[in-house]
Amino acid sequence: MASDDIDWLDTQVDLTEALNMSVLTTPAGLEGGPETEGDSTGITLDPEPVMTAPAVTARPRGTDVRALVAGDATAAAPPRGLWSRLTKRGPSPQEIALRADQRTITQPLPAPGVVAVANVKGAAGKTPTVVTLASALGVYRGGGVAAMDVWLRGTLARATVDHGSTLSILDLIPQIPSLMAGGARAADVARFLRYQPSGKFDVLPGPVDVVDVDEHGHGRLLPPGLAPGDVWDVIEVLQRQHQVVVVDTGNNDTDLAWQAVRDRTHQLVVPTKLWRDQVNGAIAVLETLADTGYADLAANAIVVITHAHRDLDRVDPKEARRYREFFLERGHQVIDLPPDPVIAAHQVIEWDALQPATRRAALTLGAAVIEGLVSAMSTRKGLR
């Protein structure tokens, strides 16, 4: 029996059972009502069903179910498939938004792009934002994404899978001349990177410790920062193998390395918790950029509201709404990165371990970033 015959038969069986249900009769003593015996309620079930329907064996071909119910078994059925098309629900608003973000995040870029993640206050969520954003871009674009740390006291190394490697950006910089030579291969760069299997992106971390060990085993402090030329060259090396470079900038916007990243940035992402200090840090970044010749970069910044575990319990709702409206009124796209136990643990962040809501928010952020990169590259052609 064909599947559509089975579906029709099930429908008719349900109709038959509904029509054959026993009905309540009127109480005894009322005109037309049967007498009851020993029933104090005065209500009994009629032993003879009032209505019956003919038993259903098989649907005559070319017959409409609605016509059968109306008693006309000769009416023609609608064309095959029409009923399912008429009754099929369209995609929900959530499904439409999901498909739109997937299309946007996978669109091609005219050139390699640089995304800076910046807030001059700590605990704003910069590193989690870098990792989740790079993961969303890597997963949906199929790779071609690198994340790097230009602050030598950054936490990107601790938030990503290290594969036992201790190499950092400080080890790559001395090799820049050979890596920028014509004979350099992808594997020559890859040995300095840490591939993230879950997020499908590469990481060039800063050093894990602020104390280095020289060739004689003596401890020494790391240099105070990276030279701007070294930062530009590292970005250039990464862009030869990657479409998008996401940079964890650190907390000091007066640092030369921070400013070097600013000069190569196409899209700015400003993470902040809805706490006074972190919001002030985000505002400071935007205002400083606007006052120093980077008004477009500041105006087009995407603001990411980050949350660790139970962060929402510490935020006054009225104050949080006021902070959010501040950024919205200034034309910024505001995206929430919801609370997630993996992020709250301050350990390695892997895409597959994140909550579905976190991955969905990261997809939205990734789509907004790609859209911003495409727009920025059409207007800021002087950037490498």
Side-chain angles (χ1 to χ4, degrees):
M1 182 180 294
S3 59
D4 56 343
D5 288 336
I6 295 175
D7 293 341
W8 179 90
L9 181 57
D10 290 341
T11 302
Q12 298 308 302
V13 171
D14 291 341
L15 290 172
T16 302
E17 291 176 352
L19 294 174
N20 283 324
M21 288 179 58
S22 298
V23 298
L24 295 176
T25 62
T26 56
L30 295 181
E31 185 176 0
E35 297 182 358
T36 60
E37 296 180 5
D39 187 352
S40 61
T41 64
I43 299 177
T44 187
L45 294 176
D46 190 344
E48 295 293 335
V50 176
M51 300 175 62
T52 60
V56 177
T57 55
R59 178 182 68 169
R61 286 293 178 182
T63 302
D64 189 351
V65 173
R66 293 167 295 180
L68 282 175
V69 175
D72 181 6
T74 63
R80 182 179 297 274
L82 176 60
W83 181 253
S84 62
R85 290 197 299 273
L86 291 174
T87 58
K88 183 179 179 180
R89 293 173 54 192
S92 67
Q94 293 80 8
E95 292 171 329
I96 294 173
L98 174 63
R99 295 172 188 176
D101 284 345
Q102 290 172 337
R103 287 193 301 269
T104 301
I105 199 173
T106 56
Q107 67 179 302
L109 294 173
V114 177
V115 182
V117 179
N119 187 318
V120 294
K121 288 293 184 180
K126 289 187 294 295
T127 299
T129 300
V130 168
V131 176
T132 53
L133 170 59
S135 295
L137 294 172
V139 167
Y140 284 95
R141 294 181 66 85
V145 179
M148 62 179 287
D149 206 341
V150 298
W151 194 40
L152 298 183
R153 288 163 177 77
T155 57
L156 188 56
R158 294 186 178 90
T160 52
V161 179
D162 61 16
H163 303 291
S165 172
T166 60
L167 298 178
S168 73
I169 191 171
L170 292 179
D171 298 294
L172 183 144
I173 288 174
Q175 306 302 319
I176 285 177
S178 62
L179 294 176
M180 296 183 70
R185 299 162 298 183
D188 297 327
V189 178
R191 71 186 187 93
F192 296 98
L193 307 178
R194 302 176 181 182
Y195 180 67
Q196 305 300 296
S198 179
K200 294 180 174 57
F201 69 99
D202 293 315
V203 173
L204 178 61
V208 175
D209 299 314
V210 298
V211 176
D212 193 14
V213 178
D214 64 18
E215 57 191 12
H216 304 293
H218 300 144
R220 61 185 178 186
L221 287 176
L222 294 173
L226 302 175
D230 289 340
V231 173
W232 295 336
D233 288 341
V234 169
I235 292 175
E236 172 68 20
V237 167
L238 292 177
Q239 285 183 322
R240 295 187 178 192
Q241 311 293 337
H242 301 85
Q243 300 174 24
V244 183
V245 178
V246 184
V247 186
D248 198 338
T249 59
N251 299 340
N252 184 4
D253 58 355
T254 66
D255 179 46
L256 295 179
W258 195 102
Q259 296 175 5
V261 173
R262 173 202 61 193
D263 294 339
R264 292 293 181 268
T265 296
H266 298 92
Q267 178 63 55
L268 177 66
V269 174
V270 181
T272 181
K273 290 185 172 65
L274 293 176
W275 303 343
R276 184 182 300 273
D277 286 348
Q278 282 67 30
V279 169
N280 286 337
I283 294 173
V285 169
L286 297 172
E287 290 183 346
T288 300
L289 289 173
D291 293 341
T292 54
Y294 297 87
D296 289 344
L297 190 62
N300 296 320
I302 301 168
V303 175
V304 177
I305 308 300
T306 61
H307 306 281
H309 189 53
R310 301 187 184 280
D311 276 356
L312 297 177
D313 297 338
R314 301 173 53 185
V315 179
D316 178 73
K318 292 182 180 179
E319 190 173 13
R321 184 166 54 253
R322 182 166 61 88
Y323 290 151
R324 188 185 299 272
E325 290 174 353
F326 173 87
F327 295 114
L328 291 171
E329 289 171 356
R330 282 154 181 78
H332 297 292
Q333 184 171 355
V334 178
I335 299 172
D336 277 80
L337 197 63
D340 194 290
V342 172
I343 295 175
H346 299 289
Q347 297 176 353
V348 173
I349 300 172
E350 296 191 78
W351 177 259
D352 291 343
L354 294 171
Q355 298 293 308
T358 307
R359 295 198 298 267
R360 180 65 185 90
L363 168 59
T364 298
L365 174 58
V369 163
I370 292 298
E371 196 167 37
L373 288 175
V374 172
S375 176
M377 289 177 188
S378 66
T379 58
R380 305 180 68 198
K381 296 180 181 179
L383 293 177
R384 286 195 294 175

